[in-house]
Structures are given as structure tokens and as C-alpha cells.
Amino acid sequence: MLRAIDSVGSDMSMKRRSLWFSLCLSVLLAIAAVACGSKENSGSGGGGSATAMGGTAMGASEMGATEMGATEMGGTTPTKQASNGALPDDLPHGLVLAYSQFEVENGQATARPGPARVELLSRQGGQWVVETIEDADSNVFHKAMVFTPRSGDNQAPGILTLAGNQAAVKLWRRGEGGAWSSTTAWTEEFGGRHNRMRDAEIADLYGDGKPALAIATHDQGVLAILRDLSSEPVRLDRKPDTFIHEIEVGDVNGDGKLEVYATPSEPNRAEGGAQHGEVVRYVPTEEGGARTVVADLGNRHAKEIYVGDVDGDGRDELYVAVEALTSREGGSLQITEPVEIRRYDADTPADGGVVVATINDRFTRFLTVGDVDGDGKKEMIAASFRAGIWLLRPGSNPRGEWGTESVDRDSGGFEHAALLTDLDADGRDELYVSSDTDGEIRRYVWRNGRSRREVIHRREIPRAMMTWNIMPFPTEMVQ
């Protein structure tokens, strides 16, 4: 189903990609091996530093350099980055990036994890500025996003983080002098090998006008609701040896009540092969929330879903990025069946999802939706592991095959975090992507039907950090 149109950039060498993806695997194994801490942190401090990046064009070889010690953590480098004339000097919103980071020795990233890290990237005074938060209690932030409590004495907005090993949900606020401190809403040891808060969505799940948090965990299949940051979690599900990677919220059946969708699956298998997964739905009530399987993926599974009205018919749909079926041959994984983007409507049987696009890659971990050309119609971006970034457009029959275009083949990462959002408020969404293979945060805009790429942030040692999520935030939080 894929056809390449307007591919940006040049092909990377296979040697470079192979080295990077091999390191990804060792890094993920290192994260899994770190034991979970038991200390609850309430009011712990975090780093509050700012790094400026200027506003001139930066070519492929214009990477800034700083000296790093033998065990210094891989961070960001001040680099000059120029406006192309379209970007204002100041933007009202920036990007929150959630990371795991790794120690560096002799200029090379190791598999030893460091503190969980968040970067807040904003444009101020013609420069891209980075401010950081670190948490030594955990080694990964799987997600970071703005959250404003609607109960308690302090209802000021903060940055909500979901951390792994130790598993913790914390709200961070910036104090005088720029120092960040946190309050812990929930931390727990779930009893398995891993203790991770993996994903969450914020929504008015009970119809009371207050934001609640739907939260998924590794590896005991816990799905829980936090009605506010001072309440005990309400557990809707738990299943041993089960990973939940993704949460989405929407109203697929059109009854006016929000549903929670999740992606439980069997544990990952390095050798490939069959791995059963499902997409399940919960409708939170005061009594709990019934569990319904809405997508049975058979011998395959998914770690990424999207719920929303992409085709503009006024009702939400469920989209599932089904990971490839693979087999190991001669020491390497071979794709037997490629990634499929499947669509499910309210009346779609659990075993009857419609394939709207395929991507010849092992997996796709990010789907993001917006309007890239300002025509009032939505497009979907799929960011895959090795095959790059793809733009998917519904056709005259949105339940059939979609138009699929290559945006950038020279972009990749194990998660390959991506976000469509309108930071510059021009009525068209820009695409922001973390290409971890290159250690770059990239901005894409569409003009005259073609995408244009700009690097807005670069780190000196690409492999020293892995990006897990990107979300918007108001710049006033760091001013």
C-alpha cells in the first residue's frame, strides 16, 4: 500500500542504522534490569537549567561540541538554529519531551541508565531554549504532560510525569529561581519484574467536570483511574505478566460517555514470532468499569492506538498499529507480515478490523493526527521504527485503503516519538519528531503540498538518550 512521495533527506548507511538499533535493544534490556526503589519522594528537587539555541540555519555538520567527563550524562548542547522566516521569535507553547538517559564513557553512550529526564523546549527571543527536570528515583519518564488539578489547596498547573523503576506518578512545579520540585500522587511495587507507569490520558471520565487520569502499567497489567492526585487509585484491571503500553480515551459508540482503551499484550519476545495482544475498552463508573475486548489481534499485538474522529463524520474511530509478525532467520529478525494500521468502528467485530495502510517495518509506536495543510481535513502521521515517517490520508471511502506518502525516510528511533500540533498558531499543524538515530528534534511544515524539515534541537551524543513521548506546554510555565 505504500508509495514514496517527496521523501526528505538522504538514506542513512545500513551500518550506522544497525549499530544504533543494536544499542537500542541493549539499552532497553538495561532499563528492565534495574531494580525498583521503594522510597516515596514528595517534594524532591529536580534540575532546573536552561540551554539556549540560537536562530540561524544549521547544516548536517554544524553540531555544537562540549567536553564531557568519563561518566557524565548525555545532555543537550547549545547550538545555533535559524528561523526560516516563518517562525516568530516567541511562541506561546513549547514541547515537553520525556526521556530515559544513559551514562557516557569516552564519548560513547553505555547501557547504564541515569536519572529519568524531562526537557521543556520553548522558543523565546528568537532562540529555542531547553529547561530540564531530572528524577534520580527512576530511570525513565515514559510520559510528561501538563496537568491542572481541580481539587486540593494548590490548583496551579504543573508537569505530570509517569516514571518507571521506581513506578511513580508525580506533579512537578517550578519555584522561584527556576528550581523544580515534585509531589508524588501514586507510587507502587506491582509484584512483577518491572515497575513502570507506562501511559496515561487526562479526561473527564465521570462527567463531573473534573479531570481524571487513566493510567496503564508494566508488567502486571494494572489499569487504574486516579480521580484526583490525592485519591487512591481505582483499579479496573490486573493481569500478571501483561504489558500495557498505550491508553486512549474517546467516544467510539457515540453515546456521549467517554471510554478508556488500552493495549494489553504478552511480554516482549526478542526472538520474534507470535505474540498475542488485544485492545480492550472500559467505561468508568462509580462501581468500577466493565472490560470489553474490541480488537482481538490473534498472534499479533499492538503498542500504539489512536482514538478520534479522523474522517470528519462526527464520531470517533479506533485505529490500531498492529506490529509486524516476525521470525528469526540466520540470527536476524525477518518480517513475515508487515505493520498494519487497522480501523475499528463501533460495530466492527473484534476480529474484523479494516486495514487502511501497511508499513514495511517491524513496528510503529506513534500515531498522531492533525491538519497539516489547513484544508479543514485531518491527516494521520505514522512514525515507524526504521522505515521513517508516513502521512496517511483518508480517501473517499475512509473504511477502505488510505493514501500513504513518505514524509522522511531519514528518521527513526525505537519509539520514534511524534506530535502534530500548532505551536505557531497559523491554523496549520506542524509535525514535531524526535529522530533518536540522529539525536535531533525536527519540525516539519507543509507548504504547497510538500513538507519542509528544520532541526530545532540537537544533542551531542544521540545514543545517550531515548525519547518516549512529546507533548505541548504553555511557555509561561518556564518564564
Side-chain angles (χ1 to χ4, degrees):
M1 287 187 184
L2 291 183
R3 53 190 177 90
I5 299 178
D6 299 336
S7 179
V8 179
S10 59
D11 291 338
M12 298 173 61
S13 70
M14 290 303 296
K15 180 179 179 181
R16 178 185 173 197
R17 286 186 179 274
S18 297
L19 287 171
W20 189 87
F21 292 120
S22 297
L23 181 64
C24 275
L25 180 59
S26 65
V27 158
L28 290 176
L29 293 173
I31 293 176
V34 176
C36 171
S38 60
K39 182 181 73 172
E40 178 175 339
N41 175 28
S42 180
S44 64
S49 61
T51 302
M53 293 188 295
T56 55
M58 183 167 58
S61 63
E62 294 179 79
M63 183 182 298
T66 58
E67 293 183 0
M68 303 185 69
T71 59
E72 188 174 351
M73 303 309 304
T76 59
T77 302
T79 54
K80 290 290 183 181
Q81 189 66 38
S83 168
N84 59 12
L87 263 177
D89 285 346
D90 298 276
L91 293 176
H93 290 84
L95 301 172
V96 183
L97 300 115
Y99 292 106
S100 51
Q101 61 177 336
F102 304 92
E103 292 181 359
V104 172
E105 286 187 356
N106 301 320
Q108 300 293 321
T110 71
R112 295 191 301 272
R117 182 182 179 100
V118 159
E119 291 185 348
L120 297 103
L121 178 62
S122 60
R123 187 164 177 82
Q124 304 177 45
Q127 297 179 324
W128 288 98
V129 178
V130 175
E131 189 155 320
T132 65
I133 301 170
E134 291 189 344
D135 187 354
D137 288 342
S138 301
N139 60 30
V140 56
F141 282 139
H142 282 121
K143 194 168 190 176
M145 55 185 170
V146 176
F147 182 73
T148 304
R150 290 291 181 259
S151 61
D153 295 333
N154 188 350
Q155 297 187 18
I159 300 297
L160 189 87
T161 57
L162 284 86
N165 288 350
Q166 131 192 136
V169 178
K170 298 183 181 182
L171 187 68
W172 299 78
R173 291 189 175 98
R174 191 174 189 261
E176 294 184 6
W180 290 84
S181 61
S182 68
T183 301
T184 301
W186 180 25
T187 185
E188 187 169 336
E189 295 186 23
F190 297 108
R193 290 184 60 198
H194 311 293
N195 288 279
R196 301 173 183 161
M197 302 295 182
R198 185 58 180 87
D199 194 26
E201 292 292 335
I202 304 168
D204 180 10
L205 298 176
Y206 295 91
D208 58 4
K210 296 180 180 180
L213 288 163
I215 301 174
T217 74
H218 283 177
D219 62 352
Q220 296 297 294
V222 174
L223 190 142
I225 307 294
L226 275 182
R227 296 197 66 164
D228 60 60
L229 297 187
S230 60
S231 66
E232 290 295 316
V234 178
R235 288 167 175 77
L236 302 188
D237 212 342
R238 180 185 182 108
K239 186 177 180 181
D241 300 319
T242 299
F243 285 18
I244 305 177
H245 287 85
E246 175 78 356
I247 292 285
E248 283 287 306
V249 173
D251 181 14
V252 175
N253 62 12
D255 67 353
K257 298 178 181 178
L258 291 178
E259 306 115 28
V260 176
Y261 294 82
T263 61
S265 68
E266 296 174 349
N268 295 335
R269 296 189 177 101
E271 71 276 9
Q275 183 177 341
H276 174 65
E278 301 170 332
V279 180
V280 296
R281 179 186 67 213
Y282 307 85
V283 182
T285 66
E286 297 295 338
E287 292 74 34
R291 182 185 195 270
T292 303
V293 176
V294 295
D296 186 341
L297 305 179
N299 62 353
R300 298 170 69 176
H301 73 289
K303 293 183 173 71
E304 173 66 6
I305 57 176
Y306 178 84
V307 175
D309 180 15
V310 182
D311 62 13
D313 68 352
R315 180 172 291 187
D316 290 344
E317 310 95 48
L318 164 67
Y319 297 90
V320 183
V322 182
E323 307 221 334
L325 185 63
T326 60
S327 61
R328 186 166 291 280
E329 299 177 11
S332 62
L333 284 178
Q334 302 297 319
I335 296 172
T336 304
E337 299 176 16
V339 170
E340 296 178 349
I341 311 300
R342 299 182 189 174
R343 170 180 170 141
Y344 294 79
D345 292 277
D347 58 355
T348 304
D351 61 354
V354 175
V355 178
V356 299
T358 62
I359 299 174
N360 191 31
D361 207 343
R362 283 172 51 194
F363 47 80
T364 293
R365 300 279 171 84
F366 269 84
L367 301 176
T368 180
V369 171
D371 180 6
V372 300
D373 49 18
D375 65 354
K377 298 178 182 179
K378 291 181 180 179
E379 295 86 25
M380 176 181 288
I381 290 289
S384 72
F385 175 37
R386 292 184 175 181
I389 305 166
W390 298 89
L391 177 68
L392 314 181
R393 281 193 171 100
S396 58
N397 175 16
R399 292 172 177 81
E401 182 179 346
W402 289 14
T404 308
E405 304 174 9
S406 172
V407 176
D408 192 349
R409 293 180 183 271
D410 187 15
S411 184
F414 208 88
E415 291 295 309
H416 208 181
L419 175 70
L420 280 170
T421 188
D422 186 10
L423 294 188
D424 60 12
D426 69 348
R428 291 180 286 191
D429 289 319
E430 312 94 55
L431 173 63
Y432 297 90
V433 176
S434 179
S435 180
D436 280 344
T437 56
D438 307 283
E440 294 178 348
I441 308 301
R442 296 168 174 174
R443 176 181 186 263
Y444 299 80
V445 296
W446 272 256
R447 297 292 184 267
N448 300 318
R450 299 172 65 91
S451 63
R452 297 165 56 188
R453 186 179 85 184
E454 176 187 9
V455 177
I456 63 173
H457 179 40
R458 177 181 281 131
R459 57 183 180 264
E460 183 183 5
I461 302 176
R463 301 176 181 89
M465 294 169 68
M466 182 181 295
T467 315
W468 293 89
N469 201 259
I470 307 175
M471 295 290 282
F473 83 99
T475 303
E476 63 187 14
M477 293 184 72
V478 292
Q479 291 176 330

